[in-house]
Amino acid sequence: MNRAPGIDDPRPLTGEPMAIDLLNTRWVDATGPRDLLDSTAGLAVWLKGWSTRLPATGPAPSADRETLEHLLRVREALAALADTPLSPTPEAIAELNAVLARGRVRRSLTPDGPKDVIEVDSPSWLPAWTAAEDWLRLLVDRPERIRPCAHPDCVLHFHDTSKNGTRRWCSMAGCGNRAKARRHHARRRPANE
């Protein structure tokens, strides 16, 4: 799932699948660590970006404290899982499964063909459950392509969709260019400095 375009979002990296986009609600910029989900106002920005991509299961989730708490819970689980996507800890697995237990997919046959309906305990669980479900999809697809940015000061993650699977940076315009500039500067510096 990719983020809807044209949303006023202060984060340096958007457009990743929902689970990774949720991880990337924390980032570091020139002013220091930032967190889009430090308030319900930030939650409203994040939800607006995903509003057309969330499954229609009934009432839309609100940008309230309850929805925020559920999202923060799954973000922490995803952060633990992102560190070791190929060998997750039992605690991280249990936490993600606890979020997944708040919803389910009900399959049925309709006159128009098969239909999947997402059911969640309450609308406040829908964004968190959907992000957890998206993580499972990424694991089925190519778990080795879930990566942290190679820049030592960056906390962002990405899903490497490059053809050869060698992407290293959250973005070439940001972290990739900084690394290139640092290498260039190191090569041009006299040896006696």
Side-chain angles (χ1 to χ4, degrees):
M1 282 188 202
N2 286 333
R3 180 172 194 74
I7 303 301
D8 186 26
D9 190 326
R11 297 178 297 145
L13 180 63
T14 59
E16 292 294 328
M18 186 183 215
I20 295 174
D21 189 73
L22 179 58
L23 281 174
N24 290 342
T25 56
R26 287 188 284 208
W27 72 99
V28 177
D29 65 14
T31 64
R34 305 269 312 269
D35 187 347
L36 184 66
L37 300 181
D38 65 358
S39 68
T40 54
L43 170 61
V45 169
W46 192 82
L47 285 174
K48 185 177 180 186
W50 287 100
S51 63
T52 62
R53 306 295 179 112
L54 287 172
T57 63
S62 300
D64 59 18
R65 183 51 75 192
E66 186 178 11
T67 302
L68 181 60
E69 288 172 8
H70 299 328
L71 266 176
L72 292 175
R73 180 178 180 183
V74 78
R75 183 177 73 176
E76 290 308 309
L78 292 174
L81 292 165
D83 290 339
T84 57
L86 299 174
S87 58
T89 66
E91 296 82 14
I93 291 170
E95 190 58 27
L96 192 72
N97 283 337
V99 172
L100 288 166
R102 298 307 198 138
R104 62 211 108 326
V105 178
R106 185 174 49 83
R107 303 200 75 187
S108 61
L109 181 61
T110 70
D112 297 326
K115 182 176 182 180
D116 292 345
V117 176
I118 307 295
E119 297 175 344
V120 290
D121 292 352
S122 75
S124 65
W125 277 105
L126 184 61
W129 185 89
T130 306
E133 176 72 13
D134 186 56
W135 183 261
L136 297 182
R137 183 189 60 79
L138 293 173
L139 291 178
V140 168
D141 181 33
R142 303 211 46 195
E144 73 280 3
R145 298 262 183 133
I146 301 168
R147 298 193 183 129
C149 179
H151 192 284
D153 299 328
C154 186
V155 298
L156 298 174
H157 291 77
F158 59 89
H159 185 239
D160 184 0
T161 58
S162 67
K163 186 175 182 178
N164 59 5
T166 58
R167 180 176 166 191
R168 297 182 54 211
W169 314 107
C170 62
S171 78
M172 277 309 297
C175 290
N177 281 343
R178 282 194 291 275
K180 283 181 177 181
R182 190 173 27 253
R183 284 192 307 268
H184 176 75
H185 182 69
R187 282 192 306 266
R188 298 200 37 99
R189 189 179 318 147
N192 60 0
E193 271 189 35

mmCIF file with all atom_site columns, all heavy atoms in Angstrom, residues 54-70:
data_model
loop_
_atom_site.group_PDB
_atom_site.id
_atom_site.type_symbol
_atom_site.label_atom_id
_atom_site.label_alt_id
_atom_site.label_comp_id
_atom_site.label_asym_id
_atom_site.label_entity_id
_atom_site.label_seq_id
_atom_site.pdbx_PDB_ins_code
_atom_site.Cartn_x
_atom_site.Cartn_y
_atom_site.Cartn_z
_atom_site.occupancy
_atom_site.B_iso_or_equiv
_atom_site.pdbx_formal_charge
_atom_site.auth_seq_id
_atom_site.auth_comp_id
_atom_site.auth_asym_id
_atom_site.auth_atom_id
_atom_site.pdbx_PDB_model_num
ATOM 1   N N   . LEU A 1 54 ? -7.390  2.672  3.887  1.00 0.00 ? 54 LEU A N   1
ATOM 2   C CA  . LEU A 1 54 ? -7.862  1.796  4.963  1.00 0.00 ? 54 LEU A CA  1
ATOM 3   C C   . LEU A 1 54 ? -9.092  1.040  4.491  1.00 0.00 ? 54 LEU A C   1
ATOM 4   O O   . LEU A 1 54 ? -9.936  1.604  3.789  1.00 0.00 ? 54 LEU A O   1
ATOM 5   C CB  . LEU A 1 54 ? -8.209  2.613  6.218  1.00 0.00 ? 54 LEU A CB  1
ATOM 6   C CG  . LEU A 1 54 ? -7.025  3.171  6.992  1.00 0.00 ? 54 LEU A CG  1
ATOM 7   C CD1 . LEU A 1 54 ? -7.519  4.105  8.093  1.00 0.00 ? 54 LEU A CD1 1
ATOM 8   C CD2 . LEU A 1 54 ? -6.184  2.057  7.585  1.00 0.00 ? 54 LEU A CD2 1
ATOM 9   N N   . PRO A 1 55 ? -9.214  -0.221 4.861  1.00 0.00 ? 55 PRO A N   1
ATOM 10  C CA  . PRO A 1 55 ? -10.407 -0.974 4.457  1.00 0.00 ? 55 PRO A CA  1
ATOM 11  C C   . PRO A 1 55 ? -11.674 -0.312 4.975  1.00 0.00 ? 55 PRO A C   1
ATOM 12  O O   . PRO A 1 55 ? -11.714 0.187  6.098  1.00 0.00 ? 55 PRO A O   1
ATOM 13  C CB  . PRO A 1 55 ? -10.211 -2.342 5.115  1.00 0.00 ? 55 PRO A CB  1
ATOM 14  C CG  . PRO A 1 55 ? -8.785  -2.407 5.526  1.00 0.00 ? 55 PRO A CG  1
ATOM 15  C CD  . PRO A 1 55 ? -8.311  -1.004 5.688  1.00 0.00 ? 55 PRO A CD  1
ATOM 16  N N   . ALA A 1 56 ? -12.700 -0.290 4.169  1.00 0.00 ? 56 ALA A N   1
ATOM 17  C CA  . ALA A 1 56 ? -13.991 0.265  4.583  1.00 0.00 ? 56 ALA A CA  1
ATOM 18  C C   . ALA A 1 56 ? -14.734 -0.818 5.356  1.00 0.00 ? 56 ALA A C   1
ATOM 19  O O   . ALA A 1 56 ? -15.235 -1.767 4.780  1.00 0.00 ? 56 ALA A O   1
ATOM 20  C CB  . ALA A 1 56 ? -14.783 0.713  3.366  1.00 0.00 ? 56 ALA A CB  1
ATOM 21  N N   . THR A 1 57 ? -14.772 -0.685 6.661  1.00 0.00 ? 57 THR A N   1
ATOM 22  C CA  . THR A 1 57 ? -15.391 -1.706 7.507  1.00 0.00 ? 57 THR A CA  1
ATOM 23  C C   . THR A 1 57 ? -16.511 -1.148 8.353  1.00 0.00 ? 57 THR A C   1
ATOM 24  O O   . THR A 1 57 ? -17.027 -1.835 9.215  1.00 0.00 ? 57 THR A O   1
ATOM 25  C CB  . THR A 1 57 ? -14.356 -2.327 8.453  1.00 0.00 ? 57 THR A CB  1
ATOM 26  O OG1 . THR A 1 57 ? -13.873 -1.292 9.318  1.00 0.00 ? 57 THR A OG1 1
ATOM 27  C CG2 . THR A 1 57 ? -13.206 -2.936 7.703  1.00 0.00 ? 57 THR A CG2 1
ATOM 28  N N   . GLY A 1 58 ? -16.848 0.073  8.166  1.00 0.00 ? 58 GLY A N   1
ATOM 29  C CA  . GLY A 1 58 ? -17.837 0.734  9.017  1.00 0.00 ? 58 GLY A CA  1
ATOM 30  C C   . GLY A 1 58 ? -17.374 2.152  9.260  1.00 0.00 ? 58 GLY A C   1
ATOM 31  O O   . GLY A 1 58 ? -16.761 2.762  8.388  1.00 0.00 ? 58 GLY A O   1
ATOM 32  N N   . PRO A 1 59 ? -17.617 2.660  10.444 1.00 0.00 ? 59 PRO A N   1
ATOM 33  C CA  . PRO A 1 59 ? -17.208 4.039  10.742 1.00 0.00 ? 59 PRO A CA  1
ATOM 34  C C   . PRO A 1 59 ? -15.688 4.204  10.607 1.00 0.00 ? 59 PRO A C   1
ATOM 35  O O   . PRO A 1 59 ? -14.934 3.315  10.973 1.00 0.00 ? 59 PRO A O   1
ATOM 36  C CB  . PRO A 1 59 ? -17.644 4.251  12.193 1.00 0.00 ? 59 PRO A CB  1
ATOM 37  C CG  . PRO A 1 59 ? -18.606 3.163  12.487 1.00 0.00 ? 59 PRO A CG  1
ATOM 38  C CD  . PRO A 1 59 ? -18.296 2.023  11.572 1.00 0.00 ? 59 PRO A CD  1
ATOM 39  N N   . ALA A 1 60 ? -15.279 5.327  10.078 1.00 0.00 ? 60 ALA A N   1
ATOM 40  C CA  . ALA A 1 60 ? -13.849 5.614  9.935  1.00 0.00 ? 60 ALA A CA  1
ATOM 41  C C   . ALA A 1 60 ? -13.232 5.837  11.313 1.00 0.00 ? 60 ALA A C   1
ATOM 42  O O   . ALA A 1 60 ? -13.894 6.340  12.223 1.00 0.00 ? 60 ALA A O   1
ATOM 43  C CB  . ALA A 1 60 ? -13.663 6.842  9.068  1.00 0.00 ? 60 ALA A CB  1
ATOM 44  N N   . PRO A 1 61 ? -11.968 5.470  11.481 1.00 0.00 ? 61 PRO A N   1
ATOM 45  C CA  . PRO A 1 61 ? -11.313 5.722  12.766 1.00 0.00 ? 61 PRO A CA  1
ATOM 46  C C   . PRO A 1 61 ? -11.152 7.227  12.990 1.00 0.00 ? 61 PRO A C   1
ATOM 47  O O   . PRO A 1 61 ? -10.972 7.993  12.047 1.00 0.00 ? 61 PRO A O   1
ATOM 48  C CB  . PRO A 1 61 ? -9.961  5.033  12.624 1.00 0.00 ? 61 PRO A CB  1
ATOM 49  C CG  . PRO A 1 61 ? -9.741  4.900  11.162 1.00 0.00 ? 61 PRO A CG  1
ATOM 50  C CD  . PRO A 1 61 ? -11.088 4.830  10.529 1.00 0.00 ? 61 PRO A CD  1
ATOM 51  N N   . SER A 1 62 ? -11.221 7.622  14.229 1.00 0.00 ? 62 SER A N   1
ATOM 52  C CA  . SER A 1 62 ? -11.047 9.027  14.597 1.00 0.00 ? 62 SER A CA  1
ATOM 53  C C   . SER A 1 62 ? -9.607  9.284  15.002 1.00 0.00 ? 62 SER A C   1
ATOM 54  O O   . SER A 1 62 ? -8.920  8.383  15.474 1.00 0.00 ? 62 SER A O   1
ATOM 55  C CB  . SER A 1 62 ? -11.948 9.383  15.782 1.00 0.00 ? 62 SER A CB  1
ATOM 56  O OG  . SER A 1 62 ? -13.298 9.168  15.457 1.00 0.00 ? 62 SER A OG  1
ATOM 57  N N   . ALA A 1 63 ? -9.179  10.518 14.854 1.00 0.00 ? 63 ALA A N   1
ATOM 58  C CA  . ALA A 1 63 ? -7.853  10.918 15.320 1.00 0.00 ? 63 ALA A CA  1
ATOM 59  C C   . ALA A 1 63 ? -7.959  11.254 16.804 1.00 0.00 ? 63 ALA A C   1
ATOM 60  O O   . ALA A 1 63 ? -7.824  12.400 17.217 1.00 0.00 ? 63 ALA A O   1
ATOM 61  C CB  . ALA A 1 63 ? -7.335  12.093 14.511 1.00 0.00 ? 63 ALA A CB  1
ATOM 62  N N   . ASP A 1 64 ? -8.202  10.213 17.590 1.00 0.00 ? 64 ASP A N   1
ATOM 63  C CA  . ASP A 1 64 ? -8.379  10.404 19.031 1.00 0.00 ? 64 ASP A CA  1
ATOM 64  C C   . ASP A 1 64 ? -7.303  9.645  19.807 1.00 0.00 ? 64 ASP A C   1
ATOM 65  O O   . ASP A 1 64 ? -6.483  8.932  19.238 1.00 0.00 ? 64 ASP A O   1
ATOM 66  C CB  . ASP A 1 64 ? -9.782  9.980  19.472 1.00 0.00 ? 64 ASP A CB  1
ATOM 67  C CG  . ASP A 1 64 ? -10.102 8.527  19.154 1.00 0.00 ? 64 ASP A CG  1
ATOM 68  O OD1 . ASP A 1 64 ? -9.171  7.724  18.899 1.00 0.00 ? 64 ASP A OD1 1
ATOM 69  O OD2 . ASP A 1 64 ? -11.286 8.177  19.152 1.00 0.00 ? 64 ASP A OD2 1
ATOM 70  N N   . ARG A 1 65 ? -7.311  9.808  21.105 1.00 0.00 ? 65 ARG A N   1
ATOM 71  C CA  . ARG A 1 65 ? -6.308  9.210  21.979 1.00 0.00 ? 65 ARG A CA  1
ATOM 72  C C   . ARG A 1 65 ? -6.313  7.685  21.884 1.00 0.00 ? 65 ARG A C   1
ATOM 73  O O   . ARG A 1 65 ? -5.260  7.050  21.856 1.00 0.00 ? 65 ARG A O   1
ATOM 74  C CB  . ARG A 1 65 ? -6.587  9.684  23.414 1.00 0.00 ? 65 ARG A CB  1
ATOM 75  C CG  . ARG A 1 65 ? -5.612  9.237  24.445 1.00 0.00 ? 65 ARG A CG  1
ATOM 76  C CD  . ARG A 1 65 ? -4.171  9.463  24.171 1.00 0.00 ? 65 ARG A CD  1
ATOM 77  N NE  . ARG A 1 65 ? -3.641  10.784 24.282 1.00 0.00 ? 65 ARG A NE  1
ATOM 78  C CZ  . ARG A 1 65 ? -2.425  11.088 23.822 1.00 0.00 ? 65 ARG A CZ  1
ATOM 79  N NH1 . ARG A 1 65 ? -1.696  10.205 23.218 1.00 0.00 ? 65 ARG A NH1 1
ATOM 80  N NH2 . ARG A 1 65 ? -1.936  12.279 23.956 1.00 0.00 ? 65 ARG A NH2 1
ATOM 81  N N   . GLU A 1 66 ? -7.476  7.070  21.791 1.00 0.00 ? 66 GLU A N   1
ATOM 82  C CA  . GLU A 1 66 ? -7.566  5.607  21.725 1.00 0.00 ? 66 GLU A CA  1
ATOM 83  C C   . GLU A 1 66 ? -6.918  5.070  20.453 1.00 0.00 ? 66 GLU A C   1
ATOM 84  O O   . GLU A 1 66 ? -6.122  4.124  20.494 1.00 0.00 ? 66 GLU A O   1
ATOM 85  C CB  . GLU A 1 66 ? -9.034  5.175  21.807 1.00 0.00 ? 66 GLU A CB  1
ATOM 86  C CG  . GLU A 1 66 ? -9.212  3.683  21.885 1.00 0.00 ? 66 GLU A CG  1
ATOM 87  C CD  . GLU A 1 66 ? -10.677 3.282  22.025 1.00 0.00 ? 66 GLU A CD  1
ATOM 88  O OE1 . GLU A 1 66 ? -11.576 4.131  21.864 1.00 0.00 ? 66 GLU A OE1 1
ATOM 89  O OE2 . GLU A 1 66 ? -10.910 2.089  22.282 1.00 0.00 ? 66 GLU A OE2 1
ATOM 90  N N   . THR A 1 67 ? -7.221  5.660  19.306 1.00 0.00 ? 67 THR A N   1
ATOM 91  C CA  . THR A 1 67 ? -6.611  5.240  18.040 1.00 0.00 ? 67 THR A CA  1
ATOM 92  C C   . THR A 1 67 ? -5.104  5.443  18.100 1.00 0.00 ? 67 THR A C   1
ATOM 93  O O   . THR A 1 67 ? -4.327  4.587  17.646 1.00 0.00 ? 67 THR A O   1
ATOM 94  C CB  . THR A 1 67 ? -7.221  6.023  16.866 1.00 0.00 ? 67 THR A CB  1
ATOM 95  O OG1 . THR A 1 67 ? -8.637  5.812  16.852 1.00 0.00 ? 67 THR A OG1 1
ATOM 96  C CG2 . THR A 1 67 ? -6.635  5.590  15.533 1.00 0.00 ? 67 THR A CG2 1
ATOM 97  N N   . LEU A 1 68 ? -4.670  6.564  18.673 1.00 0.00 ? 68 LEU A N   1
ATOM 98  C CA  . LEU A 1 68 ? -3.245  6.859  18.800 1.00 0.00 ? 68 LEU A CA  1
ATOM 99  C C   . LEU A 1 68 ? -2.549  5.803  19.655 1.00 0.00 ? 68 LEU A C   1
ATOM 100 O O   . LEU A 1 68 ? -1.482  5.303  19.295 1.00 0.00 ? 68 LEU A O   1
ATOM 101 C CB  . LEU A 1 68 ? -3.048  8.257  19.390 1.00 0.00 ? 68 LEU A CB  1
ATOM 102 C CG  . LEU A 1 68 ? -1.596  8.709  19.567 1.00 0.00 ? 68 LEU A CG  1
ATOM 103 C CD1 . LEU A 1 68 ? -0.866  8.738  18.229 1.00 0.00 ? 68 LEU A CD1 1
ATOM 104 C CD2 . LEU A 1 68 ? -1.559  10.085 20.233 1.00 0.00 ? 68 LEU A CD2 1
ATOM 105 N N   . GLU A 1 69 ? -3.145  5.430  20.773 1.00 0.00 ? 69 GLU A N   1
ATOM 106 C CA  . GLU A 1 69 ? -2.542  4.412  21.641 1.00 0.00 ? 69 GLU A CA  1
ATOM 107 C C   . GLU A 1 69 ? -2.395  3.075  20.920 1.00 0.00 ? 69 GLU A C   1
ATOM 108 O O   . GLU A 1 69 ? -1.371  2.398  21.049 1.00 0.00 ? 69 GLU A O   1
ATOM 109 C CB  . GLU A 1 69 ? -3.368  4.247  22.914 1.00 0.00 ? 69 GLU A CB  1
ATOM 110 C CG  . GLU A 1 69 ? -3.236  5.423  23.858 1.00 0.00 ? 69 GLU A CG  1
ATOM 111 C CD  . GLU A 1 69 ? -4.205  5.369  25.030 1.00 0.00 ? 69 GLU A CD  1
ATOM 112 O OE1 . GLU A 1 69 ? -4.895  4.332  25.203 1.00 0.00 ? 69 GLU A OE1 1
ATOM 113 O OE2 . GLU A 1 69 ? -4.272  6.364  25.757 1.00 0.00 ? 69 GLU A OE2 1
ATOM 114 N N   . HIS A 1 70 ? -3.393  2.694  20.140 1.00 0.00 ? 70 HIS A N   1
ATOM 115 C CA  . HIS A 1 70 ? -3.311  1.439  19.390 1.00 0.00 ? 70 HIS A CA  1
ATOM 116 C C   . HIS A 1 70 ? -2.191  1.501  18.346 1.00 0.00 ? 70 HIS A C   1
ATOM 117 O O   . HIS A 1 70 ? -1.440  0.531  18.168 1.00 0.00 ? 70 HIS A O   1
ATOM 118 C CB  . HIS A 1 70 ? -4.636  1.111  18.718 1.00 0.00 ? 70 HIS A CB  1
ATOM 119 C CG  . HIS A 1 70 ? -5.780  0.922  19.665 1.00 0.00 ? 70 HIS A CG  1
ATOM 120 N ND1 . HIS A 1 70 ? -5.646  0.402  20.933 1.00 0.00 ? 70 HIS A ND1 1
ATOM 121 C CD2 . HIS A 1 70 ? -7.093  1.183  19.520 1.00 0.00 ? 70 HIS A CD2 1
ATOM 122 C CE1 . HIS A 1 70 ? -6.816  0.353  21.527 1.00 0.00 ? 70 HIS A CE1 1
ATOM 123 N NE2 . HIS A 1 70 ? -7.730  0.829  20.686 1.00 0.00 ? 70 HIS A NE2 1
#
